[in-house]
Amino acid sequence: MAPMSTLETPLKKELGDRTATALTKAFGMETVGDLLRHYPRRYVARGELSNISELAEGEEATVLAEIAAVHLRRASGRTILEVVVTDGSAKLWLTFFNQPWREKELRVGRTGMFAGKVGLFNGKRQLSHPDYQLIPDGDDVDEAISGFAGKFLAVYPSAAKFPSWKVSQCVEIVLDGLEDLPEYLSEEVRSELGYPGFTEALREIHQPTSLAASTLAREALTFDEALLLQLLLAQRRAEYQSMPAISRKIRPDGLVARFELLLPFTLTEGQIQVCAEIEKDMSATHPMHRLLQGEVGSGKTVVALRAALAVVDSGGQAAFLAPTEVLAQQHLKTISKLLGPLAQAGTLEGDADGTQVVLLTGSMNAQQKRDALSKIASGEAGIVIGTHALLSQGADFFDLGLVIVDEQHRFGVEQRDALRTKAKVPPHVLVMTATPIPRTVAMTIFGDLEISTLRQLPSGRTPIVTHVIPVLEKPHYLDRAWQRIREEVEKGHQVYVVAPRISAGESELDGMTEGDKAIARLMDGGKEEKIPLTSVEELAPQLALGPLKGLSVAPLHGRQSSDLKEATMQAFAEGKIDVLVATTVIEVGVDVPNASMMVIMDGDRFGVSQLHQLRGRVGRGSVTGLCLLVSSADESSNAMVRLNAVASTVDGFELSRIDLEQRSEGDVLGKAQSGVRSHLRLLKVLRDEPLIEKARLIGTKLIAQDSTLSRSPALATAVAQLRNEEASSFVDKG
Ligand code: ADP
Ligand code: MG
């Protein structure tokens, strides 16, 4: 008898070279484990086949039918494949967008099972992007169906060269030769959870004996994924706990005390609480790893600055890492202003107990860099603000005690780790984000960090009012918007106009995150060719010569020289520019309280959270902010639904949830977790909240009892594998 296979066995051995190579090409699979983790999307029960003539709109149905006609057409840049199938009782229309390759397998005369949600379009029954399983050519239909294992047919994600039924066949062969796999969990824990064993779960999910059993199997396998991830995070937390760090205590008469006296306002209750949490963390002898989340304008910078001063108080240095140069410069200005004389040690006006704040960015000239680097090395600079340049320009700190990473959503774990290596002893780490993160996402992505949240905005803030302008339906609203800008300026206020592009005909979307670009592409729908996206370089002169004639209008975008950007921002901050026409370079950090209005062109091009962040730029002063979201999307489109959601609430948590629901799981987890992601086949961070909580509880308990998982070798191996993959995915990205 041939030896039984394990998850690591190469597919070649089980299926032969040809099939294995085809699976590698189609899905990137190499091993038995890869194939068995290619889970079915749904099951078709034989007894549940419906007659097409009896299908009702909205029903989830599966039909057995023959392909009667196939038609491929192109419309506004997309391909639409229309397939008509019939079961003798009636016809059913199937549509596939942008999947022209399906035309090759969906040939007239072939029979298959087609499953999906029934829709009605022009009085015709239709399935949009149905799952399907074609009956192999030449086979007798009944025989082919009953030839598949069991009562249920598994429907797999398929590829052009590898249809679902072929996957089924391969899975069957592989399952036949599979040995009993080692369990992750002890018998005791598993029976408490009520889950089947690992091998049984794998068999049930591919070849269910009943739908209830397959549902439970799916849950058990999803739980495993959640557990592995939580164990990885728990191990990392345990490692932080075991790292040494220098305790940074606030001196009662030191910089922090002086700073608090200087502040022109009193801290909010939330700020006081978060400051206390940070103070406690940093006085410990292992490194702080804390995430501070709070809306734009909630006062995170002040909290971070106080933490930085605490470190300077104890003789150390703090590094502020910003995602862009503009933001780094903005930080320098804000922080210098908040510190006043405390930031000018060594000058005549400076306070004797003070420190120096220096900037280090990629675009500084050699002399400027040398100066900054020497102050960083000598310790004269207590606070260092910078971009990635801080990581790459060989900055050598005298005593780096705290790393503050601003706007985590643009910063990977890699950069966090790279900066950590700049210190002799691991520094404390504070990560700040303005995108509120739902609890389970926080537990998954930032599960190795403690979390602080600023929920209230400092008082004196006025809420922002947001309206959507559907330009297709109501073009005159746009004229009214320009008029409204004039009125704001006449009242002495300033206005932002945001556009998605720098120049005409350009495909790059300036300053957008990968996730937002993905959404923009998703929302494209071919509309682009008809209505080009607004660009800063076109819009600024159009406005200046047209509807905003007489006002001072200036462009700002990421391709301008940093001198020009700086000068423009400066002029806007001083009120010398009325209207700033900009890309999303203004998204974070720009703080001009006199700005009272924002118009966002092609608002449908931006993610929900990004829109929320953008509008956070206005209403920072005492006047009510106004934000207009301009879009040429259809009134009934998804894009409009998102824009209306943004207009209807200012609750960042709710918006962030809407945002995440629209993203793929990969986008939710972000590129920082791409190694881990390939392991998460079933887990959906938002949907599986209870499962993740359970996994976190059990994972934490396991690590507490047995930190190296020596009593669960299978689990230890799987977690180690996950770790390696995560590590190598960082290396891959260079
Ligand atoms: P964030 O970094 O969270 O976007 P900031 O720290 O930049 O927020 O604060 C936004 C604005 O509110 C700044 O002008 C800041 O000086 C001001 N601010 C911060 N905390 C308070 C407070 N407790 N009371 C009044 N104003 C505050
Ligand atoms: Mg800020």
Side-chain angles (χ1 to χ4, degrees):
M1 207 183 105
M4 305 290 273
S5 61
T6 66
L7 293 182
E8 280 72 45
T9 307
L11 283 170
K12 282 199 164 100
K13 246 172 117 180
E14 297 297 298
L15 301 169
D17 280 355
R18 251 189 68 195
T19 308
T21 308
L23 280 169
T24 307
K25 273 202 187 126
F27 307 106
M29 298 173 184
E30 301 282 354
T31 63
V32 164
D34 293 340
L35 176 61
L36 291 181
R37 276 192 286 265
H38 188 73
Y39 299 115
R41 266 220 294 266
R42 66 160 88 201
Y43 308 95
V44 176
R46 284 198 59 201
E48 287 172 7
L49 295 178
S50 319
N51 274 339
I52 294 177
S53 62
E54 289 161 9
L55 296 181
E57 190 180 1
E59 180 184 353
E60 286 281 349
T62 304
V63 301
L64 178 64
E66 186 180 315
I67 298 176
V70 179
H71 178 55
L72 182 69
R73 62 191 172 89
R74 260 163 240 284
S76 35
R78 318 192 265 187
T79 64
I80 302 173
L81 181 65
E82 282 175 324
V83 177
V84 184
V85 299
T86 172
D87 65 354
S89 76
K91 284 180 183 163
L92 179 66
W93 272 256
L94 317 177
T95 41
F96 299 90
F97 296 101
N98 287 335
Q99 298 183 333
W101 50 269
R102 291 196 187 274
E103 191 186 14
K104 287 207 189 70
E105 61 176 21
L106 293 169
R107 290 193 311 272
V108 171
R110 293 200 65 174
T111 300
M113 318 246 220
F114 303 91
K117 191 167 179 177
V118 181
L120 268 186
F121 190 71
N122 290 339
K124 295 171 182 165
R125 291 186 183 85
Q126 77 159 38
L127 302 179
S128 161
H129 284 250
D131 286 323
Y132 61 85
Q133 173 137 340
L134 295 172
I135 306 300
D137 269 338
D139 274 327
D140 175 74
V141 172
D142 283 337
E143 198 186 320
I145 297 176
S146 60
F148 288 102
K151 212 174 123 203
F152 297 94
L153 304 188
V155 180
Y156 290 94
S158 57
K161 298 245 167 65
F162 223 101
S164 174
W165 65 270
K166 243 166 134 178
V167 178
S168 276
Q169 284 180 345
C170 293
V171 167
E172 182 164 359
I173 295 169
V174 161
L175 280 176
D176 274 348
L178 189 69
E179 66 174 31
D180 268 343
L181 301 165
E183 294 295 337
Y184 284 159
L185 298 170
S186 68
E187 189 62 44
E188 189 196 336
V189 176
R190 190 151 48 82
S191 68
E192 200 174 303
L193 289 164
Y195 291 152
F198 185 34
T199 319
E200 192 189 334
L202 279 176
R203 288 184 196 282
E204 277 295 342
I205 199 169
H206 289 289
Q207 302 182 335
T209 52
S210 73
L211 283 185
S214 82
T215 305
L216 189 64
R218 193 170 286 262
E219 185 183 321
L221 294 170
T222 310
F223 177 83
D224 283 352
E225 292 183 356
L227 181 66
L228 290 181
L229 192 56
Q230 291 304 327
L231 285 171
L232 181 72
L233 295 167
Q235 277 189 348
R236 206 174 285 152
R237 285 197 304 270
E239 278 164 25
Y240 294 152
Q241 292 292 316
S242 67
M243 284 180 189
I246 299 172
S247 159
R248 307 286 180 175
K249 292 209 169 84
I250 293 176
R251 276 193 285 128
D253 56 348
L255 272 172
V256 172
R258 307 280 295 268
F259 170 67
E260 286 180 344
L261 283 176
L262 270 179
L263 267 185
F265 44 74
T266 49
L267 295 178
T268 63
E269 250 169 68
Q271 283 171 320
I272 291 170
Q273 191 194 328
V274 173
C275 282
E277 286 164 354
I278 292 173
E279 197 174 326
K280 179 155 176 276
D281 281 2
M282 289 203 315
S283 63
T285 50
H286 52 78
M288 165 172 82
H289 282 90
R290 189 169 279 280
L291 174 74
L292 169 55
Q293 55 174 347
E295 300 252 353
V296 170
S298 60
K300 297 183 295 297
T301 308
V302 176
V303 170
L305 185 54
R306 186 179 180 277
L309 293 173
V311 169
V312 179
D313 250 356
S314 73
Q317 292 166 293
F320 250 93
L321 226 50
T324 64
E325 285 212 7
V326 171
L327 237 170
Q329 274 155 10
Q330 187 81 29
H331 268 320
L332 175 70
K333 219 175 293 165
T334 314
I335 287 172
S336 306
K337 203 168 109 196
L338 280 166
L339 288 179
L342 296 178
Q344 294 166 21
T347 69
L348 275 180
E349 304 84 57
D351 188 296
D353 292 335
T355 186
Q356 286 190 43
V357 181
V358 305
L359 182 71
L360 184 65
T361 67
S363 71
M364 284 169 32
N365 69 34
Q367 181 58 43
Q368 291 169 319
K369 274 182 197 157
R370 257 198 311 278
D371 286 350
L373 287 171
S374 99
K375 283 182 177 174
I376 294 170
S378 71
E380 276 169 276
I383 297 178
V384 182
I385 300 167
T387 55
H388 297 74
L390 264 186
L391 306 179
S392 56
Q393 309 275 328
D396 191 9
F397 286 83
F398 175 71
D399 176 15
L400 180 59
L402 170 67
V403 175
I404 298 162
V405 183
D406 199 5
E407 306 302 344
Q408 165 72 13
H409 62 298
R410 294 197 171 176
F411 241 105
V413 179
E414 314 102 286
Q415 282 100 340
R416 245 202 275 158
D417 286 346
L419 197 60
R420 187 178 295 128
T421 63
K422 296 271 167 203
K424 283 140 204 138
V425 178
H428 300 285
V429 176
L430 179 66
V431 174
M432 301 197 289
T433 175
T435 311
I437 302 163
R439 201 176 128 66
T440 44
V441 179
M443 282 193 312
T444 313
I445 307 176
F446 299 114
D448 56 340
L449 303 176
E450 306 294 326
I451 296 179
S452 296
T453 306
L454 285 175
R455 287 182 194 281
Q456 38 170 183
L457 295 184
S459 56
R461 272 312 145 63
T462 42
I464 180 158
V465 176
T466 304
H467 295 295
V468 179
I469 299 189
V471 272
L472 284 189
E473 282 85 5
K474 304 186 171 112
H476 57 283
Y477 278 26
L478 193 55
D479 300 332
R480 178 74 191 107
W482 306 138
Q483 184 53 38
R484 198 66 184 69
I485 291 181
R486 302 194 76 97
E487 290 164 17
E488 281 307 305
V489 172
E490 270 155 33
K491 281 188 257 170
H493 297 305
Q494 290 164 282
V495 179
Y496 297 100
V497 179
V498 180
R501 286 199 179 162
I502 297 177
S503 53
E506 186 179 47
S507 61
E508 213 20 51
L509 302 172
D510 191 33
M512 275 199 186
T513 63
E514 284 308 312
D516 289 317
K517 278 184 202 162
I519 287 188
R521 280 193 293 271
L522 205 71
M523 302 297 159
D524 231 351
K527 188 187 71 175
E528 203 175 335
E529 289 126 62
K530 272 183 280 168
I531 308 168
L533 288 185
T534 315
S535 76
V536 168
E537 287 184 347
E538 288 172 303
L539 184 63
Q542 276 167 18
L543 290 178
L545 298 171
L548 302 184
K549 201 165 177 171
L551 306 189
S552 144
V553 178
L556 179 75
H557 59 71
R559 270 216 313 264
Q560 292 169 333
S561 73
S562 53
D563 282 352
L564 179 56
K565 272 187 285 198
E566 175 65 10
T568 306
M569 304 264 273
Q570 185 68 32
F572 189 68
E574 288 167 5
K576 291 177 189 149
I577 293 170
D578 300 319
V579 180
L580 196 60
V581 182
T583 58
T584 53
V585 292
I586 58 152
E587 180 184 350
V588 274
V590 180
D591 192 5
V592 178
N594 190 44
S596 59
M597 177 176 174
M598 177 177 284
V599 180
I600 302 178
M601 307 302 291
D602 297 305
D604 47 294
R605 286 323 180 96
F606 302 97
V608 167
S609 291
Q610 198 181 16
L611 289 171
H612 184 56
Q613 291 234 19
L614 278 168
R615 71 176 164 184
R617 302 290 112 224
V618 296
R620 291 171 84 83
S622 51
V623 286
T624 303
L626 173 66
C627 175
L628 301 178
L629 304 173
V630 180
S631 169
S632 51
D634 291 337
E635 200 118 36
S636 59
S637 65
N638 257 340
M640 263 314 165
V641 171
R642 290 185 306 135
L643 293 181
N644 285 320
V646 174
S648 68
T649 178
V650 288
D651 181 340
F653 277 91
E654 187 178 334
L655 289 171
S656 134
R657 193 163 183 110
I658 294 172
D659 198 13
L660 291 169
E661 274 163 5
Q662 299 221 344
R663 293 176 186 232
S664 73
E665 204 61 10
D667 280 337
V668 171
L669 292 182
K671 85 172 184 162
Q673 298 262 337
S674 59
V676 169
R677 204 157 75 213
S678 62
H679 271 259
L680 304 184
R681 297 298 180 86
L682 297 168
L683 189 70
K684 296 273 175 289
V685 173
L686 293 174
R687 182 199 62 194
D688 294 322
E689 187 161 339
L691 219 56
I692 293 174
E693 305 242 11
K694 216 184 323 181
R696 187 172 176 91
L697 220 68
I698 291 178
T700 310
K701 213 152 77 185
L702 277 175
I703 291 287
Q705 291 162 354
D706 178 13
S707 68
T708 57
L709 296 172
S710 61
R711 273 171 269 155
S712 337
L715 211 46
T717 311
V719 174
Q721 241 171 31
L722 195 59
R723 243 195 134 113
N724 280 339
E725 270 171 51
E726 195 186 34
S728 65
S729 77
F730 292 154
V731 175
D732 285 347
K733 287 195 298 283

